[in-house]
Amino acid sequence: AMVEEFKKMPGVKTQSFVTPNNLYLSMDAIRPNSPFKDVKVRQAVAHAIDVDAIIKSVLRGQGERYVQVGKGTIGYDPDLKPYPYDPKKARELLKQAGFPNGFDTPCYNLTTPREPNVKEVGEAMFAYLTAVGIRCKVQGMEYVSWVSFARRDRQGGGEMDGLYSNMWSHGLPGDPGTPWAGHVHTYVPGGGWGIVSFHSDPDLDGMLEELKRTMDIEKREALIRKIARVKHERVAGGLPTYRPVVTFAWRDKVEFKAWPQPGYWRQMQEIGLKQ
């Protein structure tokens, strides 16, 4: 555990920040023969993965679990709880969906460390899924091919036909409106909607279009909470997993002031040598 080692070093200070990058598992819920078109299969995926164990063991605690929107984000709802890890329930849901023996699926994994240990996180998720009968044929992808692979507006883009580990930051000031417009709303060629979406749900489309027009912050917050609940129940536009935690370490002869939270951890307010 590198972070723990840094924290124990004499003359070293550390500070940890939750990043607003929201990682989620994308599912093909649009192709006519895709098993993930069935909400029960998507819920089976949600119950099959032990996200808490992945954060603990694969990320060494450097992650924060979130459900739709993270703490500090507009529309954060502390009452919205993640799907509990329950492989038995996952198998039962697959049976109800007509897959008593499970099925094979391509699972696309980012292998470039865009976020720490992201390759290993994907491998762990796909191993959990395989254990309940969603048998992953894992395909690793470098960053450039991974980015263009899911873009619906690019030649050869939008060919995702299974599961795909993806991410879209909720940014500043912490609002999911733009990311949701991009990965939850139905893809509209040339319309700016659903640029990496493999989902199509008229209810959510209507609410997301209303959200785009809603400027009043209280109304916006209420609408985000409403969308989050529907998105959660239907496991729409992917399964949210975690937000990475980044830890800075510096020698005590260095003066370091981080950007005040909430904010992007990548920005430093002040850094220099102590006089």
Side-chain angles (χ1 to χ4, degrees):
M2 287 293 289
V3 173
E4 289 312 308
E5 284 166 32
F6 280 131
K7 284 179 178 172
K8 285 179 194 146
M9 277 181 184
V12 168
K13 289 183 177 178
T14 62
Q15 204 172 349
S16 296
F17 303 94
V18 177
T19 80
N21 202 0
N22 293 267
L23 278 76
Y24 66 95
L25 185 62
S26 182
M27 308 180 207
D28 169 23
I30 50 173
R31 278 164 209 270
N33 59 349
S34 173
F36 304 105
K37 275 194 88 159
D38 190 325
V39 67
K40 285 194 165 81
V41 174
R42 299 197 300 274
Q43 287 167 344
V45 169
H47 282 296
I49 301 168
D50 192 342
V51 179
D52 292 327
I54 290 173
I55 290 170
K56 193 179 168 191
S57 305
V58 181
L59 295 171
R60 311 280 178 93
Q62 294 289 104
E64 180 189 86
R65 187 137 193 211
Y66 77 105
V67 190
Q68 307 305 333
V69 294
K71 282 178 205 160
T73 301
I74 295 163
Y76 170 66
D77 183 352
D79 297 329
L80 204 55
K81 301 294 179 215
Y83 283 85
Y85 172 56
D86 190 341
K88 197 173 160 212
K89 182 141 193 207
R91 287 188 200 97
E92 180 52 40
L93 284 160
L94 287 176
K95 205 162 128 189
Q96 288 172 22
F99 298 101
N101 306 314
F103 57 88
D104 297 319
T105 182
C107 294
Y108 301 94
N109 195 29
L110 174 61
T111 58
T112 310
R114 165 69 178 75
E115 293 288 356
N117 287 15
V118 76
K119 171 181 178 274
E120 292 76 11
V121 168
E123 286 164 353
M125 289 196 296
F126 298 149
Y128 275 117
L129 291 170
T130 298
V132 300
I134 300 169
R135 293 179 295 275
C136 277
K137 293 178 282 186
V138 183
Q139 192 171 320
M141 306 185 110
E142 291 292 325
Y143 191 72
V144 174
S145 55
W146 171 83
V147 166
S148 55
F149 179 65
R151 283 288 297 263
R152 304 289 305 274
D153 58 337
R154 288 192 186 161
Q155 181 125 29
E159 287 175 7
M160 204 278 286
D161 54 351
L163 297 168
Y164 171 78
S165 68
N166 205 7
M167 58 186 83
W168 192 327
S169 170
H170 288 181
L172 291 174
D175 188 299
T178 299
W180 285 353
H183 71 85
V184 184
H185 194 288
T186 305
Y187 174 51
V188 180
W193 296 100
I195 212 83
V196 292
S197 172
F198 294 87
H199 204 86
S200 185
D201 182 326
D203 297 341
L204 282 162
D205 287 358
M207 285 190 273
L208 288 165
E209 284 159 29
E210 189 190 337
L211 184 64
K212 206 74 171 164
R213 298 188 293 266
T214 304
M215 297 299 156
D216 179 282
I217 203 74
E218 279 173 28
K219 284 180 184 164
R220 190 168 180 86
E221 179 135 26
L223 187 52
I224 286 171
R225 283 181 176 226
K226 187 178 159 190
I227 294 166
R229 294 226 160 233
V230 176
K231 185 178 173 309
H232 185 61
E233 281 157 21
R234 299 180 190 178
V235 196
L239 173 71
T241 51
Y242 72 98
R243 306 197 294 171
V245 171
V246 167
T247 300
F248 282 101
W250 64 95
R251 292 261 172 218
D252 56 11
K253 65 173 132 209
V254 171
E255 188 89 69
F256 172 76
K257 268 191 202 153
W259 199 258
Q261 292 290 85
Y264 262 99
W265 57 268
R266 296 182 186 95
Q267 294 163 331
M268 299 172 199
Q269 196 175 13
E270 229 174 87
I271 189 164
L273 291 172
K274 278 185 180 166
Q275 295 306 313

